Amino acid sequence: MLSGKNILLGITGGIAAYKTTFLVRLLIKAGANVRVILTNSASSFVSPLTLATLSKNPVHSSFVNTDEGTVSWNNHVELGLWADFMIIAPATANTMSKMANGVCDNLLLASYLSAKCPVFFAPAMDLDMYKHPSTIETLDKLQSFGNIMIPATSGELASGLHGEGRMAEPEDMVVFIKEYLLSGLPLKGKKILITAGPTYEAIDPVRFIGNHSSGLMGFELAKAAAKLGAEVILISGPSHLTISHDLVTLIRVVSATEMYDEVHKHYSSVTIAIAAAAVADYRPKTVAEQKIKKSASDFSIDLIKNKDILLSMGELKKDQFIVGFALETENEEENAKGKLKKKNLDAIVLNSLNDTGAGFGKKTNKISFIDKNSTIKTFELKTKTEVALDIMNEIIKRIHV
Ligand code: CTP
């Protein structure tokens, strides 16, 4: 969720500032880019060097840098615009009051006023300050501007008193932010099953029948679906690709039979299923226990048909939206529509081997998306990352109608 996100962290002068070192670590571990602005009083509570080391970026605290005889300007507008979102933590009563009234007497406040992105703020103060009518009014005003409050919690405070006003723990802040980001996404709460890659059908302990599928299309679909908020179960045949996302569970299989079994462990619980795997249609009837020797001059292998995984999903379909792939060399549209009908699909993605740049082992693809009403949308040649997003968008349009 946070991978690749630009996060501007504004730290103000409260004892909870020391906890922001943990927050920076968690954000960096989640793959975010973090830049930190520290107010002057915050630097009494937490060291700029610690934050610079953890965030892997210089820490800013004033408008002007005068290092080593040169003078440069910390551009608050650039910082505000760089951010995908801003977190102000801890947010002291003083800073929040200034934020609520447009006061702009430090770099943090100038960046806050320049930021166009969502701004989270995590109040932290003593319990009586937290309950004061002016604080309550400030919190309401800040939220009415669209800022998102990460509520303070109850517990022991720096004063020794017990009550409300503790800054949320860094782990809880990260969960809160992820939940918030997720809530705005179109596939939040939806579970998607995706098959990917080739399957290998064993001949003997060292040989197999396989194909050249890299799995890239399926992995890109999984990434796109997760980015749009879906929980993804990615079932992949042998592929060198990896994926790391909170919302994606990768299950690796080898043969079509294993893929079939894994699919049916999850199929009944999903809303959407996409079969992007290049499943072997046949497998050797028997698998030799020992490596086959090259003694005979002729050699043949008896093959039997694998179960069609997608067809089986179509047969068991309840409310699922099912999408298949068709790779065709002739009568493309007609063949794809035939597969859509035969397998009881909601849509089929057609790639034609006649299109240069499309298909196995390529980083690009050229597809047509055909739904069960025979509506066809043809796309330009694009990277598989872009194609995956196009496919997800076509699905989203149809599951929300
Ligand atoms: N598929 C599957 N299980 C199989 C075979 C195919 O799930 N055993 C899925 C693929 O993931 C893809 C679609 O079915 O989504 C492809 O349909 P298919 O009829 O197998 O296409 P081709 O393999 O191209 O068939 P043919 O060779 O008959 O054209």
Side-chain angles (χ1 to χ4, degrees):
M1 290 293 309
L2 298 177
S3 178
K5 291 271 188 290
N6 293 338
I7 303 174
L8 184 59
L9 174 63
I11 305 175
T12 72
I15 180 63
Y18 83 92
K19 290 190 190 172
T20 56
T21 53
F22 298 97
L23 179 61
V24 172
R25 225 177 133 248
L26 290 171
L27 297 172
I28 293 286
K29 257 179 104 178
N33 308 309
V34 181
R35 289 167 82 176
V36 178
I37 304 177
L38 210 57
T39 62
N40 281 338
S41 48
S43 52
S44 308
F45 293 98
V46 62
S47 141
L49 185 59
T50 309
L51 292 161
T53 310
L54 291 172
S55 69
K56 303 179 176 119
N57 271 315
V59 167
H60 309 287
S61 28
S62 59
F63 287 102
V64 179
N65 289 324
T66 50
D67 288 351
E68 291 167 9
T70 59
V71 179
S72 63
W73 177 48
N74 278 322
N75 187 338
H76 56 277
V77 178
E78 185 267 321
L79 283 169
L81 295 181
W82 168 83
D84 290 316
F85 58 88
M86 186 171 183
I87 307 171
I88 299 175
T92 57
N94 182 41
T95 291
M96 288 194 298
S97 163
K98 289 179 181 180
M99 284 163 67
N101 291 290
V103 178
C104 185
D105 62 0
N106 63 33
L107 183 66
L108 189 152
L109 290 163
S111 304
Y112 160 70
L113 285 174
S114 306
K116 289 186 179 164
C117 59
V119 178
F120 296 89
F121 66 102
M125 67 199 77
D126 212 58
L127 77 164
D128 293 316
M129 293 169 77
Y130 198 64
K131 276 198 229 134
H132 196 281
S134 65
T135 308
I136 294 170
E137 201 178 281
T138 298
L139 297 180
D140 286 347
K141 200 166 170 188
L142 285 177
Q143 290 178 93
S144 76
F145 295 159
N147 299 305
I148 309 126
M149 180 163 85
I150 306 176
T153 60
S154 280
E156 192 182 340
L157 301 162
S159 61
L161 299 172
H162 268 78
E164 207 176 359
R166 271 169 74 102
M167 186 179 82
E169 292 301 323
E171 289 83 0
D172 298 332
M173 286 172 59
V174 171
V175 171
F176 182 98
I177 291 166
K178 281 184 180 174
E179 281 292 319
Y180 177 86
L181 296 177
L182 205 62
S183 66
L185 296 175
L187 292 177
K188 180 183 158 39
K190 303 266 187 278
K191 207 164 162 184
I192 302 192
L193 186 154
I194 297 170
T195 67
T199 63
Y200 287 179
E201 310 300 325
I203 299 170
D204 68 14
V206 293
R207 302 180 179 96
F208 59 84
I209 298 173
N211 60 63
H212 291 298
S213 166
S214 64
L216 185 59
M217 195 64 247
F219 276 67
E220 289 296 345
L221 280 164
K223 276 189 217 160
K227 267 190 190 160
L228 293 164
E231 184 188 335
V232 182
I233 297 159
L234 174 63
I235 302 175
S236 175
S239 164
H240 68 279
L241 299 173
T242 54
I243 192 162
S244 163
H245 195 290
D246 295 352
L247 290 171
V248 181
T249 305
L250 171 62
I251 300 170
R252 294 195 188 268
V253 295
V254 176
S255 65
T257 310
E258 283 172 23
M259 188 176 275
Y260 178 94
D261 291 342
E262 281 301 329
V263 162
H264 286 287
K265 279 185 201 162
H266 301 279
Y267 178 61
S268 61
S269 68
V270 304
T271 321
I272 300 165
I274 308 175
V279 186
D281 289 328
Y282 295 90
R283 68 176 182 278
K285 199 168 178 179
T286 52
V287 180
E289 274 181 28
Q290 305 300 331
K291 188 181 166 209
I292 300 168
K293 293 284 178 196
K294 55 175 181 306
S295 44
S297 56
D298 285 337
F299 180 67
S300 59
I301 303 170
D302 280 344
L303 299 176
I304 53 167
K305 217 169 187 176
N306 277 326
K307 285 185 201 160
D308 190 317
I309 304 168
L310 183 57
L311 180 77
S312 69
M313 288 198 265
E315 283 167 355
L316 295 171
K317 183 160 96 171
K318 291 202 173 95
D319 302 322
Q320 292 93 339
F321 189 95
I322 314 183
V323 183
F325 271 72
L327 184 66
E328 305 292 339
T329 52
E330 54 178 357
N331 299 328
E332 289 107 339
E333 248 177 69
E334 206 181 305
N335 286 341
K337 283 183 191 165
K339 279 178 192 169
L340 184 148
K341 201 153 181 239
K342 180 174 150 215
K343 301 194 187 192
N344 193 23
L345 309 180
D346 296 280
I348 194 153
V349 178
L350 165 67
N351 15 67
S352 158
L353 270 186
N354 298 327
D355 291 316
T356 13
F360 278 12
K362 304 257 170 52
K363 288 216 157 50
T364 50
N365 208 355
K366 181 166 178 359
I367 61 147
S368 297
F369 188 94
I370 308 174
D371 71 12
K372 62 179 174 196
N373 302 320
S374 291
T375 309
I376 303 182
K377 183 150 182 194
T378 299
F379 294 87
E380 296 301 306
L381 182 75
K382 295 184 179 190
T383 64
K384 285 186 177 169
T385 312
E386 293 164 326
V387 171
L389 196 59
D390 287 339
I391 293 172
M392 294 315 307
N393 284 334
E394 289 306 311
I395 296 172
I396 289 167
K397 276 185 214 160
R398 287 163 177 84
I399 57 171
H400 287 300
V401 288

